[in-house]
Amino acid sequence: MAKTDSKVMAFVEAELERNPTIEVKDLFEMVKEEHRSVRSLDLRQFNARYPLQVKRRKGGGRRRRRRPATERAAARSQTNGNGSAVTNGNGGRDAVRTTLLSFATDVTAAEDKKELVEVLAGVDRYVDEVWKATRK
């Protein structure tokens, strides 16, 4: 997880409160003048660490309604002719897809070579998850 500076976060939050339509590049320039710690970041990294996080916390994003538990259970399994449960054919596929997306997210979140090597060194965890999903 990327490290954030609480002072920068507070500054960004205050600026977004004052002017919610401010451009990210203008905000970045303002923050760079006040705080040295963000000068090493590029615009994309800055946006991901500060403005996006503030906006997420405020709930500005679109939220999906979660299906009731009974619908989720019904989608996961069905019953065969003798009444025993049969796993949905897409259940394993969905689990593999989720695992691969998790791996891709962790790889893209790595900001330097050291973090990338740590993710790749832990690839066995993802392989185990895929293996379990395909054995069901």
Side-chain angles (χ1 to χ4, degrees):
M1 187 81 180
K3 295 179 181 84
T4 59
D5 185 344
S6 59
K7 292 178 184 175
V8 175
M9 188 66 80
F11 182 85
V12 169
E13 198 165 353
E15 286 300 318
L16 286 173
E17 186 73 33
R18 205 169 346 156
N19 183 5
T21 60
I22 190 169
E23 292 285 324
V24 174
K25 61 183 175 184
D26 297 332
L27 182 61
F28 186 42
E29 292 303 320
M30 292 171 62
V31 172
K32 281 198 299 190
E33 291 174 11
E34 296 287 325
H35 302 279
R36 292 177 165 275
S37 63
V38 297
R39 291 181 183 167
S40 64
L41 301 177
D42 62 24
L43 184 63
R44 185 175 174 201
Q45 290 172 324
F46 168 77
N47 186 41
R49 285 188 191 174
Y50 299 102
L52 280 179
Q53 300 307 316
V54 170
K55 291 174 185 177
R56 272 193 190 131
R57 270 192 262 136
K58 288 192 175 236
R62 187 179 73 159
R63 295 183 185 225
R64 296 187 331 186
R65 186 179 65 87
R66 192 168 178 177
R67 293 190 314 189
T70 54
E71 285 182 33
R72 289 193 309 269
R76 274 195 306 264
S77 67
Q78 301 172 346
T79 59
N80 63 13
N82 63 10
S84 61
V86 175
T87 307
N88 188 348
N90 290 335
R93 182 182 184 279
D94 290 341
V96 170
R97 181 179 185 276
T98 301
T99 301
L100 293 176
L101 286 173
S102 174
F103 177 69
T105 301
D106 291 346
V107 167
T108 56
E111 292 189 4
D112 57 13
K113 288 182 181 180
K114 180 183 175 189
E115 291 176 357
L116 180 60
V117 168
E118 288 174 0
V119 171
L120 294 176
V123 76
D124 287 337
R125 179 175 65 95
Y126 302 101
V127 171
D128 292 342
E129 288 180 28
V130 168
W131 184 257
K132 270 198 289 187
T134 58
R135 294 286 124 200
K136 289 182 180 179

